[in-house]
Amino acid sequence: MIIVEFYKSLSSSIQSTIWITLILILILVLLRIKMRNYSADKPAKGIILICESFVKMMNGFTKAMLGKQWRALAPYFITLSVFLFVANISGLFGFTPPTVSLSVTFSLGLITFLLIQLFGIKVNGAKSHFKDLCSPILMTPMNIIGEIAVPCSLAIRLFGNILSGSILTILIYSFLGWASVVITPPIHAIFDVVFGFIQTFVFVMLTAVNIGNKFSESEFE
């Protein structure tokens, strides 16, 4: 009962986040079961081929953006891409898109911020990483603000674009009334699928760019 009451107290976007996360976990488990019958000697087909192609594409993207550190970060970018795209198009299935909640988008932005700092320290060393932050000394406050602005800008950009798309969809339905049934497919195709894909791509790309900015040129040789 306590769990049920706690769940009811959550906002609809947070409830959607929980459901989408559980659905994605279930899909991954089912794919793992299906992979048991997959043999590298046989050509992949169906859902296995789609997953394999997606993973190869994301591995190539991560390698191009992050050089030698791509193996450590590729799983995160694959997970982030799948979660964001499913979250952005979840309105098609009757859910409230989790990304219309600033708490969800800010959490993703915070993860990006932590990765920027962790890999900056890992690649350059803690001394060099924090030395760059304080160089020149008079610009230290601005440098710190610049670092904090990264997760905030990522979160607000994603939140604002997905929220505006949802609001526009509601306004169109309210304005057209029963006639909105006729244009429902193109509306959702534009605001859910196309915009959802674009915002996923932008968030992932900016995340990769901000992390890669902390790496020296030697990491890409």
Side-chain angles (χ1 to χ4, degrees), residues 133-149:
L133 189 63
C134 300
S135 179
I137 190 66
L138 294 177
M139 292 298 294
T140 300
M142 294 302 297
N143 291 337
I144 293 174
I145 292 173
E147 293 291 321
I148 296 174

Side-chain angles (χ1 to χ4, degrees), residues 41 73-74 96 101 152 158 205:
D41 300 328
L73 286 162
T96 300
S101 171
C152 294
L158 179 60
M205 176 63 75

Side-chain angles (χ1 to χ4, degrees), residues 12 78 95 215:
S12 59
I78 292 172
F95 292 101
F215 298 165

Side-chain angles (χ1 to χ4, degrees), residues 35-76:
M35 283 291 291
R36 291 179 181 177
N37 301 320
Y38 171 71
S39 174
D41 300 328
K42 299 179 181 179
K45 57 183 180 179
I47 188 66
I48 300 300
L49 177 60
I50 294 173
C51 293
E52 186 178 272
S53 300
F54 175 69
V55 170
K56 286 182 178 179
M57 180 188 71
M58 291 305 300
N59 283 344
F61 165 80
T62 311
K63 189 173 184 178
M65 297 297 296
L66 300 170
K68 297 177 182 178
Q69 301 298 323
W70 75 273
R71 290 185 183 277
L73 286 162
Y76 171 68

Side-chain angles (χ1 to χ4, degrees), residues 125-202:
K127 183 178 179 180
S128 177
H129 178 73
F130 290 109
K131 182 179 179 181
D132 290 341
L133 189 63
C134 300
S135 179
I137 190 66
L138 294 177
M139 292 298 294
T140 300
M142 294 302 297
N143 291 337
I144 293 174
I145 292 173
E147 293 291 321
I148 296 174
V150 171
C152 294
S153 63
L154 286 172
I156 294 172
R157 180 184 290 106
L158 179 60
F159 163 76
N161 283 299
I162 299 301
L163 180 62
S164 62
S166 299
I167 292 174
L168 283 173
T169 302
I170 293 171
L171 290 175
I172 291 172
Y173 283 162
S174 300
F175 179 74
L176 295 178
W178 63 269
S180 63
V181 176
V182 179
I183 63 170
T184 291
I187 286 177
H188 284 291
I190 295 172
F191 290 108
D192 288 331
V193 180
V194 176
F195 283 8
F197 172 78
I198 292 173
Q199 293 309 316
T200 299
F201 175 79
V202 169

